[in-house]
Amino acid sequence: MVHAGVARVTLSGELDLDTAPLVHNAVADCLAEQPTTLCFDLTDISFCDCAGLGSLLTARLTILGEGVDLVVEGIGSQLRRLLSLIGAEDLFTPKAAETDLGRARWASAAVASHRVAETEAALPTRPGTF
């Protein structure tokens, strides 16, 4: 629901592979109401993995791509650490700027690359196999 041009998405609990698609759905529902600003409240996120982080970065691109301002509240220490690890700690600031779109795309690519590297590292290697 949009009030005075502002839509609000409040996330809570664990943001992971199972729940990440819900971020996309919530953002799509809000954008359908054509807000001027979308507020992400992340105060009650207790855990976020790479899939959750990827969903937030993708949501950010979608929101800014629609010309909607993004406001983020309540980034906890664990999520802040993840953002810091990929060099994206300043992408979720009180008001995101359109000029950050390129950096957000880079950060999304960094998350995807990190997932590939983790998967490759986890694969067992045996002599004579590829």
Side-chain angles (χ1 to χ4, degrees):
M1 182 171 144
V2 176
H3 180 68
V6 179
R8 185 173 193 85
V9 174
T10 301
L11 303 175
S12 62
E14 295 184 357
L15 185 53
D16 57 17
L17 186 61
D18 292 331
T19 60
L22 301 175
V23 175
H24 170 77
N25 296 342
V27 168
D29 289 347
C30 286
L31 291 177
E33 295 187 39
Q34 300 179 336
T36 56
T37 302
L38 193 144
C39 177
F40 261 139
D41 183 352
L42 307 174
T43 304
D44 293 325
I45 293 292
S46 59
F47 172 80
C48 183
D49 68 5
C50 289
L53 182 59
S55 71
L56 291 175
L57 292 168
T58 300
R60 182 181 184 281
L61 284 174
T62 301
I63 293 162
L64 296 177
E66 291 291 321
V68 175
D69 289 331
L70 175 62
V71 176
V72 180
E73 299 173 351
I75 296 177
S77 60
Q78 193 259 337
L79 180 54
R80 188 174 315 282
R81 170 92 169 118
L82 280 177
L83 290 167
S84 175
L85 287 172
I86 64 166
E89 60 273 12
D90 59 344
L91 291 182
F92 290 95
T93 57
K95 184 171 181 183
E98 190 172 321
T99 56
D100 288 338
L101 279 173
R103 288 189 45 201
R105 287 189 183 102
W106 175 85
S108 293
V111 170
S113 297
H114 183 68
R115 284 189 197 146
V116 170
E118 283 182 341
T119 302
E120 290 172 350
L123 295 174
T125 57
R126 291 178 283 171
T129 62
F130 298 96

